[in-house]
mmCIF file of all heavy atoms in Angstrom:
data_model
loop_
_atom_site.group_PDB
_atom_site.id
_atom_site.type_symbol
_atom_site.label_atom_id
_atom_site.label_comp_id
_atom_site.label_asym_id
_atom_site.label_seq_id
_atom_site.Cartn_x
_atom_site.Cartn_y
_atom_site.Cartn_z
ATOM 1 N N LEU A 42 84.935 -7.799 40.226
ATOM 2 C CA LEU A 42 83.483 -7.889 40.344
ATOM 3 C C LEU A 42 82.863 -8.179 38.981
ATOM 4 O O LEU A 42 83.323 -7.673 37.963
ATOM 5 C CB LEU A 42 82.895 -6.591 40.886
ATOM 6 C CG LEU A 42 83.232 -6.240 42.339
ATOM 7 C CD1 LEU A 42 82.773 -4.829 42.621
ATOM 8 C CD2 LEU A 42 82.549 -7.201 43.295
ATOM 9 N N PHE A 47 75.541 -13.938 37.983
ATOM 10 C CA PHE A 47 76.142 -14.636 36.860
ATOM 11 C C PHE A 47 77.087 -15.734 37.362
ATOM 12 O O PHE A 47 77.623 -15.636 38.461
ATOM 13 C CB PHE A 47 76.902 -13.660 35.958
ATOM 14 C CG PHE A 47 75.999 -12.832 35.099
ATOM 15 C CD1 PHE A 47 75.306 -11.762 35.641
ATOM 16 C CD2 PHE A 47 75.822 -13.142 33.765
ATOM 17 C CE1 PHE A 47 74.460 -11.001 34.862
ATOM 18 C CE2 PHE A 47 74.975 -12.374 32.973
ATOM 19 C CZ PHE A 47 74.295 -11.308 33.521
ATOM 20 N N CYS A 58 86.890 -27.270 33.128
ATOM 21 C CA CYS A 58 86.483 -27.635 34.483
ATOM 22 C C CYS A 58 84.970 -27.777 34.542
ATOM 23 O O CYS A 58 84.255 -27.323 33.659
ATOM 24 C CB CYS A 58 86.916 -26.574 35.490
ATOM 25 S SG CYS A 58 88.695 -26.378 35.576
ATOM 26 N N LYS A 63 75.813 -22.230 41.455
ATOM 27 C CA LYS A 63 75.577 -20.823 41.781
ATOM 28 C C LYS A 63 75.466 -20.680 43.290
ATOM 29 O O LYS A 63 74.607 -21.290 43.933
ATOM 30 C CB LYS A 63 74.302 -20.348 41.101
ATOM 31 C CG LYS A 63 74.012 -18.875 41.309
ATOM 32 C CD LYS A 63 72.789 -18.472 40.519
ATOM 33 C CE LYS A 63 72.474 -17.007 40.719
ATOM 34 N NZ LYS A 63 71.270 -16.608 39.957
ATOM 35 N N SER A 75 95.608 -32.660 40.229
ATOM 36 C CA SER A 75 96.455 -33.316 39.237
ATOM 37 C C SER A 75 97.086 -32.351 38.248
ATOM 38 O O SER A 75 97.900 -32.767 37.438
ATOM 39 C CB SER A 75 95.639 -34.365 38.476
ATOM 40 O OG SER A 75 94.544 -33.730 37.833
ATOM 41 N N LEU A 78 98.124 -26.181 38.652
ATOM 42 C CA LEU A 78 97.663 -25.101 39.500
ATOM 43 C C LEU A 78 97.563 -25.523 40.959
ATOM 44 O O LEU A 78 97.078 -24.765 41.791
ATOM 45 C CB LEU A 78 96.280 -24.623 39.010
ATOM 46 C CG LEU A 78 96.250 -24.052 37.593
ATOM 47 C CD1 LEU A 78 94.833 -23.603 37.240
ATOM 48 C CD2 LEU A 78 97.219 -22.895 37.457
ATOM 49 N N LEU A 108 64.767 7.653 34.952
ATOM 50 C CA LEU A 108 64.480 7.825 36.379
ATOM 51 C C LEU A 108 63.499 8.989 36.515
ATOM 52 O O LEU A 108 63.833 10.125 36.175
ATOM 53 C CB LEU A 108 65.768 8.120 37.156
ATOM 54 C CG LEU A 108 66.951 7.180 36.865
ATOM 55 C CD1 LEU A 108 68.205 7.679 37.562
ATOM 56 C CD2 LEU A 108 66.621 5.757 37.285
ATOM 57 N N GLN A 146 58.705 21.194 37.656
ATOM 58 C CA GLN A 146 59.719 20.741 38.604
ATOM 59 C C GLN A 146 61.110 20.977 38.030
ATOM 60 O O GLN A 146 61.286 21.091 36.814
ATOM 61 C CB GLN A 146 59.554 19.250 38.917
ATOM 62 C CG GLN A 146 58.414 18.917 39.847
ATOM 63 C CD GLN A 146 58.380 17.446 40.219
ATOM 64 O OE1 GLN A 146 58.778 16.579 39.443
ATOM 65 N NE2 GLN A 146 57.900 17.161 41.422
ATOM 66 N N CYS A 171 90.860 11.913 29.299
ATOM 67 C CA CYS A 171 89.441 11.570 29.386
ATOM 68 C C CYS A 171 89.146 10.198 28.792
ATOM 69 O O CYS A 171 88.295 10.045 27.919
ATOM 70 C CB CYS A 171 88.573 12.633 28.700
ATOM 71 S SG CYS A 171 87.563 13.560 29.864
ATOM 72 N N PHE A 196 92.086 14.575 34.790
ATOM 73 C CA PHE A 196 92.377 15.908 35.308
ATOM 74 C C PHE A 196 91.275 16.511 36.186
ATOM 75 O O PHE A 196 91.458 17.591 36.736
ATOM 76 C CB PHE A 196 92.657 16.883 34.152
ATOM 77 C CG PHE A 196 91.563 16.965 33.122
ATOM 78 C CD1 PHE A 196 90.407 17.713 33.346
ATOM 79 C CD2 PHE A 196 91.678 16.274 31.928
ATOM 80 C CE1 PHE A 196 89.408 17.776 32.403
ATOM 81 C CE2 PHE A 196 90.676 16.343 30.977
ATOM 82 C CZ PHE A 196 89.539 17.098 31.218
ATOM 83 N N TRP A 323 63.679 47.608 60.057
ATOM 84 C CA TRP A 323 64.533 47.924 58.918
ATOM 85 C C TRP A 323 66.000 47.642 59.191
ATOM 86 O O TRP A 323 66.766 47.335 58.281
ATOM 87 C CB TRP A 323 64.360 49.383 58.505
ATOM 88 C CG TRP A 323 63.030 49.662 57.889
ATOM 89 C CD1 TRP A 323 61.887 50.027 58.537
ATOM 90 C CD2 TRP A 323 62.693 49.600 56.510
ATOM 91 N NE1 TRP A 323 60.856 50.190 57.653
ATOM 92 C CE2 TRP A 323 61.328 49.940 56.386
ATOM 93 C CE3 TRP A 323 63.407 49.291 55.355
ATOM 94 C CZ2 TRP A 323 60.674 49.965 55.163
ATOM 95 C CZ3 TRP A 323 62.747 49.329 54.126
ATOM 96 C CH2 TRP A 323 61.402 49.667 54.050
ATOM 97 N N SER A 349 53.865 50.431 60.105
ATOM 98 C CA SER A 349 53.045 49.985 58.986
ATOM 99 C C SER A 349 51.704 50.712 58.987
ATOM 100 O O SER A 349 50.936 50.627 59.935
ATOM 101 C CB SER A 349 52.812 48.474 59.084
ATOM 102 O OG SER A 349 51.936 48.051 58.084
ATOM 103 N N SER A 371 49.215 51.617 46.888
ATOM 104 C CA SER A 371 50.239 52.450 46.265
ATOM 105 C C SER A 371 49.680 53.813 45.882
ATOM 106 O O SER A 371 48.471 53.993 45.710
ATOM 107 C CB SER A 371 50.782 51.756 45.015
ATOM 108 O OG SER A 371 49.832 51.823 43.952
ATOM 109 N N GLY A 373 51.418 55.241 43.273
ATOM 110 C CA GLY A 373 51.821 55.284 41.873
ATOM 111 C C GLY A 373 51.671 53.939 41.188
ATOM 112 O O GLY A 373 50.851 53.105 41.581
ATOM 113 N N SER A 381 63.292 38.808 52.707
ATOM 114 C CA SER A 381 64.688 38.779 53.139
ATOM 115 C C SER A 381 64.836 37.761 54.263
ATOM 116 O O SER A 381 64.223 37.905 55.313
ATOM 117 C CB SER A 381 65.124 40.170 53.610
ATOM 118 O OG SER A 381 66.465 40.157 54.083
ATOM 119 N N PHE A 416 44.081 64.300 43.812
ATOM 120 C CA PHE A 416 43.644 65.689 43.646
ATOM 121 C C PHE A 416 44.493 66.574 44.546
ATOM 122 O O PHE A 416 44.416 66.467 45.774
ATOM 123 C CB PHE A 416 42.156 65.830 44.005
ATOM 124 C CG PHE A 416 41.231 65.116 43.051
ATOM 125 C CD1 PHE A 416 40.993 63.750 43.193
ATOM 126 C CD2 PHE A 416 40.622 65.792 42.016
ATOM 127 C CE1 PHE A 416 40.159 63.081 42.317
ATOM 128 C CE2 PHE A 416 39.779 65.136 41.140
ATOM 129 C CZ PHE A 416 39.543 63.775 41.276
ATOM 130 N N PRO A 428 31.174 58.491 36.988
ATOM 131 C CA PRO A 428 32.284 57.962 36.179
ATOM 132 C C PRO A 428 32.947 59.036 35.307
ATOM 133 O O PRO A 428 32.336 60.065 35.001
ATOM 134 C CB PRO A 428 31.621 56.904 35.307
ATOM 135 C CG PRO A 428 30.284 56.645 35.892
ATOM 136 C CD PRO A 428 29.876 57.943 36.531
ATOM 137 N N ASP A 469 21.545 46.977 47.489
ATOM 138 C CA ASP A 469 22.448 45.912 47.927
ATOM 139 C C ASP A 469 23.887 46.427 47.925
ATOM 140 O O ASP A 469 24.375 46.936 46.902
ATOM 141 C CB ASP A 469 22.323 44.710 46.995
ATOM 142 C CG ASP A 469 22.997 43.460 47.549
ATOM 143 O OD1 ASP A 469 23.894 43.599 48.420
ATOM 144 O OD2 ASP A 469 22.640 42.351 47.112
ATOM 145 N N ARG A 471 26.517 44.819 47.756
ATOM 146 C CA ARG A 471 27.356 44.090 46.808
ATOM 147 C C ARG A 471 27.381 44.765 45.442
ATOM 148 O O ARG A 471 28.292 44.516 44.647
ATOM 149 C CB ARG A 471 26.858 42.646 46.678
ATOM 150 C CG ARG A 471 27.079 41.806 47.928
ATOM 151 C CD ARG A 471 26.476 40.431 47.795
ATOM 152 N NE ARG A 471 25.019 40.485 47.679
ATOM 153 C CZ ARG A 471 24.229 39.420 47.586
ATOM 154 N NH1 ARG A 471 24.757 38.209 47.590
ATOM 155 N NH2 ARG A 471 22.903 39.562 47.488
ATOM 156 N N GLY A 491 23.528 51.613 48.853
ATOM 157 C CA GLY A 491 22.265 52.121 48.319
ATOM 158 C C GLY A 491 21.188 52.290 49.372
ATOM 159 O O GLY A 491 20.324 53.179 49.252
ATOM 160 N N SER A 500 26.865 65.001 56.283
ATOM 161 C CA SER A 500 28.306 64.978 56.534
ATOM 162 C C SER A 500 28.772 66.291 57.133
ATOM 163 O O SER A 500 28.253 67.363 56.808
ATOM 164 C CB SER A 500 29.051 64.711 55.230
ATOM 165 O OG SER A 500 28.828 65.759 54.301
ATOM 166 N N THR A 515 60.762 58.543 59.616
ATOM 167 C CA THR A 515 61.178 58.316 58.240
ATOM 168 C C THR A 515 61.256 59.645 57.509
ATOM 169 O O THR A 515 60.601 60.625 57.885
ATOM 170 C CB THR A 515 60.189 57.386 57.510
ATOM 171 O OG1 THR A 515 60.578 57.294 56.146
ATOM 172 C CG2 THR A 515 58.774 57.910 57.574
ATOM 173 N N THR A 518 57.190 61.944 54.545
ATOM 174 C CA THR A 518 56.039 62.390 55.331
ATOM 175 C C THR A 518 54.867 62.613 54.386
ATOM 176 O O THR A 518 54.890 63.554 53.586
ATOM 177 C CB THR A 518 56.348 63.679 56.090
ATOM 178 O OG1 THR A 518 57.483 63.468 56.927
ATOM 179 C CG2 THR A 518 55.169 64.094 56.941
#
Side-chain angles (χ1 to χ4, degrees):
L42 292 170
F47 284 77
C58 298
K63 183 176 180 181
S75 59
L78 298 181
L108 311 173
Q146 284 185 329
C171 248
F196 55 79
W323 290 89
S349 175
S371 74
S381 178
F416 293 82
D469 192 338
R471 291 175 295 182
S500 63
T515 175
T518 303

